[in-house]
Amino acid sequence: MEKTALITGASRGIGRETALKFWREGFRVAVNYCRSEGPAGEFVRELNRLRPGSALAVGADVSQKGQVAEMFRRTEEELGPVEVLVNNAGIAQQKLFTDLTEEDWDRMFTVDVKGMFLCCQAALPGMIRRKRGKIVNISSMWGQVGASCEVHYSAAKGAVIAFTKALAQEVGPSRIQVNCVAPGVIDTEMNGALPPDAMDALREETPLGVLGQPSDVAEAVWFLASPQSDFITGQVLAPNGGLVL
Ligand code: NAP
């Protein structure tokens, strides 16, 4: 039987590749976007052309409770119960700590932490009722060890890890798994603002000597959503080329 996965921030990058992976594995996928309606719609049209009724583009700013509720309502109405939730939507910002504004701080936590909170709250009642479900939250290696000039991002991604571990304990008795993926440097638009020499330096520092691709993260997410990981919960899986050990 086909299942449904909802992937937030799936208009591009890691989220899009993750949605594609789940779709290839036979899932129906809800492709969430915030501003990129065009790319998300185009992606979903192509998936539906190849397998009618297999994908839905669903707009919502994950930091807005009403929009999150409507996203889950539409997804469940059109694709069925959400059995896998991937909290991938996120923003990043590089700035000296002393230059950070209160707005920078609030925006980071509103999208990267509150967004995950709201989506989990929307997904869990159904999962608890069915006594089945998997949640995968996307953190970052900077949430594990911290990064200079990314204090608010590191703090938010660290919160994602602690949130994952706490929620995993709370909903484990309902047979729901909550895990986390903490990627290293992945070649996406998120890193587009970094100068080429900074990307080269990160590649050189990475023991495997390459930048990660969105598919490297998508495979890790898939593993944590697949039956092969049924006894794994509250864990952090780190596709990072060995940069953070
Ligand atoms: P990306 O290319 O910048 O894509 C970000 C996605 O998040 C877009 O689809 C964007 O949608 C969506 N998004 C942003 N704000 C949103 C909001 N308020 N509501 C709903 N969607 C929103 O980033 P990426 O590199 O694929 O990163 C994906 C996740 O991996 C993020 O959580 C990021 O922190 C994490 N990560 C990335 C790296 C890396 O090196 N790239 C490393 C570690 C962790 P719209 O365009 O529609 O607004």
Side-chain angles (χ1 to χ4, degrees), residues 174-203:
S174 297
R175 300 302 300 266
I176 295 156
Q177 294 155 255
V178 190
N179 286 293
C180 188
V181 171
V185 187
I186 309 297
D187 195 7
T188 69
E189 275 181 42
M190 183 168 271
N191 292 316
L194 289 178
D197 56 335
M199 289 300 274
D200 287 344
L202 286 164
R203 183 186 294 112

Side-chain angles (χ1 to χ4, degrees), residues 10 13 63-64 82 99 105 120 133 142 149 154 165 205 216-217 223:
S63 66
Q64 301 296 317
V82 173
D99 289 343
W105 179 270
C120 287
W142 302 140
C149 296
S154 302
K165 289 173 184 283
E205 275 174 50
D216 294 315
V217 183
F223 170 68

Side-chain angles (χ1 to χ4, degrees), residues 66-165:
Q67 295 184 32
V68 168
E70 179 58 15
M71 170 171 76
F72 274 81
R73 193 198 61 72
R74 270 196 66 202
T75 300
E76 304 220 327
E77 187 178 282
E78 297 191 31
L79 299 182
V82 173
E83 303 221 339
V84 176
L85 167 65
V86 182
N87 286 305
N88 165 80
I91 55 168
Q93 186 184 37
Q94 283 88 34
K95 222 171 176 184
L96 275 178
F97 180 71
T98 45
D99 289 343
L100 278 182
T101 64
E102 191 178 347
E103 288 71 33
D104 290 333
W105 179 270
D106 286 346
R107 186 159 170 268
M108 186 63 68
F109 272 75
T110 302
V111 177
D112 289 16
V113 184
K114 186 180 171 193
M116 169 187 66
F117 159 73
L118 291 174
C119 289
C120 287
Q121 278 214 323
L124 274 166
M127 289 181 174
I128 290 169
R129 232 182 6 260
R130 294 187 294 276
K131 290 219 172 315
R132 191 172 65 235
K134 305 212 182 207
I135 296 175
V136 182
N137 298 321
I138 308 298
S139 175
S140 161
M141 64 178 169
W142 302 140
Q144 297 176 290
V145 295
S148 167
C149 296
E150 295 192 65
V151 170
H152 56 340
Y153 181 72
S154 302
K157 291 301 187 180
V160 170
I161 293 174
F163 176 103
T164 299
K165 289 173 184 283

